[in-house]
Amino acid sequence: MWDEYTLKCLAINFYHKLFYNEKDTIQVFILKRAFPAIDHENMNQLLASVIDEEVKKVLFYMKLFKTPGPKGYQSYFYQS
């Protein structure tokens, strides 16, 4: 069985090796080409204003006792 200290050391060593850049003296997160590029059309959609009707449609589509976030109100609150 692994003790807490050993597990902590293993986790630290794993992420240290994963994100450490040997060329620098500090740890660097290397994310080049880690995410796909977003084309111009999709970028415009992401930057578009949110329309109240879209929010209402989504909230009324949700089941009554689901929450839109970890500390949000249940959709029943908005639907009533």
Side-chain angles (χ1 to χ4, degrees), residues 4 9 23 25 31 49 62 67 73:
E4 186 177 343
C9 289
K23 294 178 184 175
T25 56
L31 296 176
S49 299
M62 292 174 63
T67 58
Y73 289 103

Side-chain angles (χ1 to χ4, degrees), residues 64-77:
L64 289 178
F65 298 103
K66 296 290 183 177
T67 58
K71 293 185 179 181
Y73 289 103
Q74 296 174 336
S75 61
Y76 177 77
F77 173 82

Side-chain angles (χ1 to χ4, degrees), residues 4-18:
E4 186 177 343
Y5 177 77
T6 304
L7 289 174
K8 183 178 178 180
C9 289
L10 287 171
I12 290 170
N13 288 335
F14 173 80
Y15 286 104
H16 179 76
K17 289 177 184 177
L18 184 64

Side-chain angles (χ1 to χ4, degrees), residues 14-21 26-31:
F14 173 80
Y15 286 104
H16 179 76
K17 289 177 184 177
L18 184 64
F19 295 116
Y20 187 73
N21 185 352
I26 60 171
Q27 292 183 8
V28 177
F29 293 93
I30 303 170
L31 296 176

Side-chain angles (χ1 to χ4, degrees), residues 12-59:
I12 290 170
N13 288 335
F14 173 80
Y15 286 104
H16 179 76
K17 289 177 184 177
L18 184 64
F19 295 116
Y20 187 73
N21 185 352
E22 293 179 6
K23 294 178 184 175
D24 299 325
T25 56
I26 60 171
Q27 292 183 8
V28 177
F29 293 93
I30 303 170
L31 296 176
K32 290 183 181 178
R33 298 185 183 126
F35 300 102
I38 298 176
D39 62 15
H40 188 66
E41 182 181 339
N42 286 330
M43 183 60 75
N44 287 336
Q45 287 180 328
L46 290 171
L47 297 174
S49 299
V50 177
I51 300 170
D52 291 341
E53 285 299 317
E54 290 176 326
V55 175
K56 182 178 178 181
K57 182 179 175 181
V58 170
L59 281 171

